[in-house]
Amino acid sequence: MDPNGIPNGIGKAMKHLDLDGHELPPSPAPSSPSAGRKYALATELVYTESNDQFNSSSTPIYQSATFKGGPGQEYDYTRSGNPTRSHLERHLAKIMNANRALVVSSGMGACDVITRILKPGDEVVTGNDLYGGTNRLLTYLKENGGIIVHHVDTTTLESVQGVLMEKTAMVLLETPTNPLIKVADVAGIASAAHAANPSAIVAVDNTMLSPYLANPLDLGADVVYESGTKYLSGHHDVMAGVIGVNNVALGEKFYFMINSTGCGLAPFDSWLLLRGIKTLSVRMEKQQANAMAIAQFLESHGFKVRYPGLKSHPQYALHWSQARGAGAVLSFETGSIALSERIVEATRLFGISVSFGCVNSLISMPCRMSHASIDPATRKERALPEDIIRLCVGIEDLTDLVDDLSQALVRAGAVRLTENGFEALEHHSAGRTTQVVDEP
Ligand SMILES: Cc1ncc(COP(=O)(O)O)c(C=O)c1O
Ligand SMILES: N[C@@H](CCSC[C@H](N)C(=O)O)C(=O)O
């Protein structure tokens, strides 16, 4: 019996509506979405309201596929809705500055849900540097779904404008891009896209920054999505995808797809993601401080480093006009694939692994790993350097990380000794570039 004397909590659920008119779960109730931030983001990340019947401090996991009761109740079947998932979605809506958030089984699941609104003949404008999996899905839609996909350099508004037209149904942006760390002007591109077609959907993949560092909906995007597998969860123990929107009808369309295809995030995974989100601010602050120091270390030794925290980044000012931090992913080049391979294999603390956003530091060669699904000819056409190394910096002690990287550079033979220490074999510094001579 609930306090209203109605069995199964149904009456209690029916009494409460959230801002969008959705009924709240019987227990726990979520914190209010999109009601304006009462606290700083770091506080909002850990703060959730709950009316759990036992005052549980941690959101209970409703590990149940079905819910008993009759028609009209808030929950009947976990594919359609689950209290733990709802709690997470409402919490995320708040921190993403979204009217509604939806969570699915992976970042690619989120991208799939979003692109399912496309129809044959629709045009999509996207970047020429893009996560390999996103590129793979768009290529599938191009080859099998009758969708026209334009890959352009999203760092310049003009190249995007050059392909925008009335038939542009979607603009899909990454900023910074994975792995070349290119920055796109979200506000500029969103207004150009909406001018070309007022109903075009501008979707931003916010995986590299997370809601802690950027809120693309505030810049004019219609949809923000990200891989919750990365910073939001932070420990590489769960796969998840997150979608945020302000438009109620668009939110309903995405919910329809999620319920129809059955990709909603499972209760336990929702709980893991909810737990991860609580430490997002401390993890991200430490990770990006470490990343900044490592980017400076590599650049000062002559490597060509791509990181938006460095003043040498070609879009430094643009990045900082739309983000609150530089994130913790950087890439650098060595001038030789074999040299890059030796560096990657010589690190100990930086684990060789795909993905990023984890508390542990990772190292990878995107062309061999995360972006291997992009064929070599396309990689060449898009100027994706085969020797590029991506570092995803974690929360370890900075001195240990720098020592690990230094010993790897020396053991791999990537540096030559100088009076002041060492410098990259292919040395990039103001006014001069020396080349790697021997390709082993
Ligand atoms: C930028 C970006 N977007 C989306 C995804 C897809 O996320 P997931 O692996 O959770 O499907 C990834 C990585 O996988 C990514 O790096
Ligand atoms: N085998 C996977 C590779 C996943 S890459 C994950 C992540 N986005 C990254 O950039 O490292 C696949 O083919 O999808």
Side-chain angles (χ1 to χ4, degrees):
M1 275 304 168
D2 78 2
N4 304 310
I6 301 170
N8 299 328
I10 296 171
K12 197 174 172 190
M14 301 283 271
K15 275 186 75 178
H16 297 83
L17 296 180
D18 73 5
L19 294 179
D20 303 330
H22 297 111
E23 287 160 9
L24 296 179
S27 166
S31 52
S32 325
S34 64
R37 272 196 208 136
K38 280 185 285 184
Y39 303 109
L41 190 47
T43 310
E44 292 285 9
L45 289 169
V46 292
Y47 176 70
T48 54
E49 289 160 11
S50 162
N51 69 351
D52 173 65
Q53 59 188 323
F54 299 115
N55 290 327
S56 69
S57 304
S58 166
T59 301
I61 305 167
Y62 282 82
Q63 191 63 39
S64 183
T66 55
F67 298 85
K68 292 178 189 167
Q73 64 185 35
E74 175 74 4
Y75 299 103
D76 64 344
Y77 196 54
T78 280
R79 171 160 49 67
S80 306
N82 176 283
T84 313
R85 191 195 297 152
S86 294
H87 191 93
L88 167 65
E89 288 176 340
R90 288 172 173 124
H91 190 54
L92 274 165
K94 186 180 65 170
I95 64 171
M96 292 166 87
N97 279 357
N99 177 285
R100 185 170 189 187
L102 296 150
V103 290
V104 295
S105 54
S106 70
M108 286 320 303
C111 193
D112 176 47
V113 166
I114 294 162
T115 51
R116 272 175 191 264
I117 63 173
L118 295 168
K119 298 182 297 301
D122 279 351
E123 304 220 349
V124 174
V125 175
T126 191
N128 61 3
D129 183 43
L130 209 54
Y131 163 53
T134 310
N135 185 78
R136 178 170 53 202
L137 179 60
L138 291 174
T139 305
Y140 178 84
L141 292 173
K142 187 166 94 180
E143 290 170 357
N144 302 279
I147 311 295
I148 296 128
V149 184
H150 300 276
H151 291 273
V152 296
D153 179 5
T154 48
T155 61
T156 68
L157 195 51
E158 297 72 41
S159 54
V160 176
Q161 265 165 335
V163 287
L164 285 173
M165 58 186 84
E166 238 181 288
K167 281 201 297 185
T168 305
M170 187 172 286
V171 177
L172 203 156
L173 300 172
E174 269 180 28
T175 184
T177 60
N178 176 10
L180 293 183
I181 323 289
K182 293 180 176 183
V183 175
D185 173 0
V186 176
I189 293 175
S191 67
H194 293 142
N197 175 10
S199 51
I201 302 296
V202 177
V204 177
D205 180 334
N206 200 33
T207 308
M208 284 286 230
L209 296 178
S210 88
Y212 186 64
L213 298 181
N215 302 109
L217 294 177
D218 294 350
L219 300 168
D222 303 290
V223 182
V224 58
Y225 76 99
E226 73 182 75
S227 166
T229 317
K230 312 291 191 302
Y231 291 106
L232 284 177
S233 55
H235 296 75
H236 280 180
D237 51 12
V238 63
M239 301 287 306
V242 169
I243 303 171
V245 289
N246 278 328
N247 182 304
V248 175
L250 197 54
E252 279 305 318
K253 273 190 193 173
F254 293 151
Y255 170 74
F256 175 87
M257 295 300 177
I258 293 166
N259 189 28
S260 304
T261 60
C263 62
L265 194 63
F268 182 61
D269 291 349
S270 296
W271 181 86
L272 276 175
L273 190 55
L274 201 49
R275 184 172 69 160
I277 288 168
K278 292 182 186 181
T279 54
L280 176 63
S281 71
V282 279
R283 285 186 282 107
M284 188 58 108
E285 291 293 351
K286 173 76 173 164
Q287 283 177 260
Q288 62 178 357
N290 278 352
M292 182 67 192
I294 288 169
Q296 285 168 334
F297 163 79
L298 287 168
E299 189 172 59
S300 69
H301 286 87
F303 290 96
K304 182 178 175 194
V305 183
R306 300 167 191 259
Y307 183 62
L310 293 175
K311 293 235 166 76
S312 57
H313 190 286
Q315 297 154 295
Y316 180 84
L318 173 62
H319 178 81
W320 287 93
S321 72
Q322 56 184 22
R324 296 180 285 274
V329 178
L330 59 105
S331 51
F332 69 103
E333 285 146 70
T334 65
S336 154
I337 298 171
L339 202 49
S340 295
E341 281 171 353
R342 292 203 299 274
I343 295 170
V344 167
E345 277 161 18
T347 55
R348 295 172 74 94
L349 287 176
F350 286 85
I352 305 174
S353 170
V354 292
S355 205
F356 53 90
C358 181
V359 287
N360 297 92
S361 291
L362 306 173
I363 190 165
S364 67
M365 286 183 69
C367 293
R368 299 280 164 86
M369 301 165 74
S370 50
H371 294 67
S373 60
I374 304 177
D375 64 82
T378 308
R379 293 202 299 261
K380 193 170 180 194
E381 194 184 299
R382 296 184 188 169
L384 182 54
E386 294 289 318
D387 64 316
I388 199 162
I389 294 179
R390 193 182 70 181
L391 293 181
C392 307
V393 184
I395 63 169
E396 300 92 337
D397 177 79
L398 178 61
T399 310
D400 287 338
L401 290 178
V402 172
D403 285 353
D404 189 42
L405 211 47
S406 303
Q407 66 81 27
L409 294 172
V410 171
R411 276 178 50 204
V415 288
R416 71 169 67 82
L417 296 180
T418 64
E419 277 174 20
N420 306 320
F422 56 74
E423 68 173 24
L425 288 189
E426 186 178 76
H427 189 94
H428 297 271
S429 67
R432 78 184 176 111
T433 298
T434 53
Q435 302 292 312
V436 173
V437 201
D438 296 322
E439 178 76 17

